[in-house]
Each structure stands twice: as structure tokens, then as C-alpha cells.
Amino acid sequence: MDSPKLHLACPHCGATNRLPAARIDDAPVCGRCSQPLLAGQPLELGDADFDAVVQASAQPLLVDFWAPWCGPCNAMAPAFKQAAKALQGQVLLVKVNSDDNPQLSARFGIRSIPTLVRIEQGRETARQSGALPAQAIVALATR
């Protein structure tokens, strides 16, 4: 059976790339410009592709449940990106829009946003609600 396909926008040229979820840990590069697709950027996932990435990745994941209307979520976004750069190759940072992905939000019991959930080998290993600075995000991700 084929691995579900992720659609990743290249942070360098904007091209959309289809990537089998099973290759998420393979340092994928853009088909157009050959630059790294993840390049220390958070990966946006949702109800349709979240489980495939969790199952395929050997790296721990740190998931940011957020919403576009949330002030603290927007205030934390630059720190989350900064942490993604610092943790590149060690922890995969993921953003899940809780408004657009109600099944994931319900499954993880998200009651407030932003909420960060650390997942390792398919199991939740840590959780923190509220906006955090980059160094606290890194500390949570590397517990």
C-alpha cells in the first residue's frame, strides 16, 4: 500500500511538492529548486495527514494546536519558527489549525490554545498550554 501523500509548499520558491509521508525523515528537497522542503520550518498538518506523519517519523513531534484568530497563538508563531530552526533534524515541529481540524482537536482534548503536545513513538509525552518563548519550546521538545 502506498504511503499517503503530503503537499508541502517550498519555503524558497513556493512550489507545491507531493511527498509520501513515509519519506518525512529523509530530508526532502523541492522538485523545482532543489532546496530543503522542511529547512527548519514547522510542518502544517491536519485531520487528513497527521496520523501518517506520526507513524512515519522516527523523530519526536511537537505539535502546536492554534487558530488564526488567537492573539497568543500569533504572538508565539515567530518563537515556534525559531525553535523549528534550532531543532531541525532532532524534533519535527508541526502546526495544526484547531478550527480547521476539529477531529484532531477533539482527539487530543484541546481546551485552550495555543497548546503544545509532544509525541514520541505515537504517544503523547508532554503537554503545555499558553504562549512560550523559543527557549521554552525547545526545552519542551527535547524533554
Side-chain angles (χ1 to χ4, degrees), residues 33-57:
C33 71
S34 299
Q35 294 294 315
L37 284 175
L38 297 178
Q41 297 290 318
L43 179 62
E44 293 186 29
L45 297 177
D47 290 335
D49 50 13
F50 183 85
D51 288 330
V53 172
V54 169
Q55 292 171 4
S57 181

Side-chain angles (χ1 to χ4, degrees), residues 47-73:
D47 290 335
D49 50 13
F50 183 85
D51 288 330
V53 172
V54 169
Q55 292 171 4
S57 181
Q59 300 177 44
L61 279 74
L62 185 64
V63 184
D64 174 17
F65 287 92
W66 71 287
W69 52 263
C70 169
C73 298

Side-chain angles (χ1 to χ4, degrees), residues 76-131:
M76 187 178 76
F80 198 73
K81 275 186 148 180
Q82 185 180 356
K85 286 190 188 302
L87 294 166
Q88 184 175 354
Q90 302 169 48
V91 179
L92 185 60
L93 272 67
V94 173
K95 293 185 75 70
V96 173
N97 181 328
S98 59
D99 285 348
D100 293 344
N101 301 285
Q103 292 173 343
L104 281 172
S105 296
R107 188 167 103 202
F108 282 92
I110 302 303
R111 301 279 182 250
S112 65
I113 51 175
T115 293
L116 300 176
V117 176
R118 185 178 188 278
I119 299 171
E120 189 167 7
Q121 297 177 346
R123 291 186 5 256
E124 179 177 331
T125 58
R127 177 182 290 239
Q128 176 73 45
S129 293

